[in-house]
Amino acid sequence: MREKDFKRLVYIALMTALITVGTMVIQIPTPYTKGYVNIGDSFIFLSASILGPFAGFISGGVGSALADLLSGYAVWAPWTFVIKGVEGLIVALLLKKRSAKKSFVRIAVFILAAIWMVFGYYIGGAVMYGFKAALADVPGNIIQGIGSVIIGSILVESLSRIKYFKDLKQG
């Protein structure tokens, strides 16, 4: 294994762990669908922005699903794996273009990914607990999305300027 590949693997594992911890550190329960609001999406945005589509999907999906499993929300883990993995993929794929390096474009991409997250959990909640229960949790997911867009934007803006991270992005 080349040193660069090994370094990427370590960063993907680190981001997966960071997403798990970031998801678990603040958890506000949502009683209707037995889920919780968190700030883990911020770290998904960071991982996807710095490391690219593959890492965004893997670290977002695995890190968030692992947080569900470790926090007693195992019923949500399969949904979370898909929803958060695709969220990371959306961010990374849409930020691949050079014009996406501008802050306002990056924020728009994060907002789009957060909308996907809200929609994904609405569908998951509706399948598991019914549409009324899922609808009751939408405001909490919107707040989670807004908070994560703000925190994620600050993190990405700050850390993407560090030369050390610039050589890590791959497909």
Side-chain angles (χ1 to χ4, degrees):
M1 180 179 272
R2 294 185 344 217
E3 181 181 342
K4 187 175 181 178
D5 293 336
F6 181 73
K7 199 181 281 190
R8 262 187 69 67
L9 183 62
V10 169
Y11 276 110
I12 292 169
L14 178 65
M15 285 303 208
T16 302
L18 185 62
I19 290 165
T20 302
V21 171
T23 301
M24 293 176 69
V25 74
I26 297 174
Q27 292 183 339
I28 303 166
T30 55
Y32 297 107
T33 59
K34 300 171 183 67
Y36 58 95
V37 173
N38 63 80
I39 59 166
D41 302 272
S42 306
F43 301 105
I44 294 171
F45 297 161
L46 177 64
S47 176
S49 297
I50 291 176
L51 298 174
F54 176 77
F57 180 83
I58 295 299
S59 62
V62 172
S64 299
L66 189 56
D68 282 352
L69 291 170
L70 294 172
S71 299
Y73 296 94
V75 68
W76 279 103
W79 289 98
T80 294
F81 176 79
V82 173
I83 294 164
K84 301 297 181 132
V86 171
E87 184 179 40
L89 193 61
I90 288 169
V91 168
L93 289 175
L94 293 179
L95 289 181
K96 266 189 154 184
K97 297 182 184 257
R98 291 207 183 273
S99 63
K101 301 299 180 206
K102 296 178 181 165
S103 292
F104 70 91
V105 173
R106 188 182 305 129
I107 291 169
V109 167
F110 291 174
I111 290 169
L112 183 63
I115 290 169
W116 156 255
M117 179 270 298
V118 172
F119 176 74
Y121 279 117
Y122 173 72
I123 296 301
V127 168
M128 292 194 308
Y129 300 104
F131 287 102
K132 277 187 179 180
L135 190 58
D137 279 354
V138 167
N141 284 326
I142 290 171
I143 291 168
Q144 173 177 318
I146 292 168
S148 292
V149 167
I150 293 167
I151 295 167
S153 296
I154 293 167
L155 286 171
V156 171
E157 186 68 31
S158 301
L159 295 177
S160 64
R161 295 176 185 201
I162 297 173
K163 184 182 184 299
Y164 196 69
F165 293 113
K166 291 184 179 181
D167 296 334
L168 297 173
K169 191 177 278 190
Q170 286 182 356

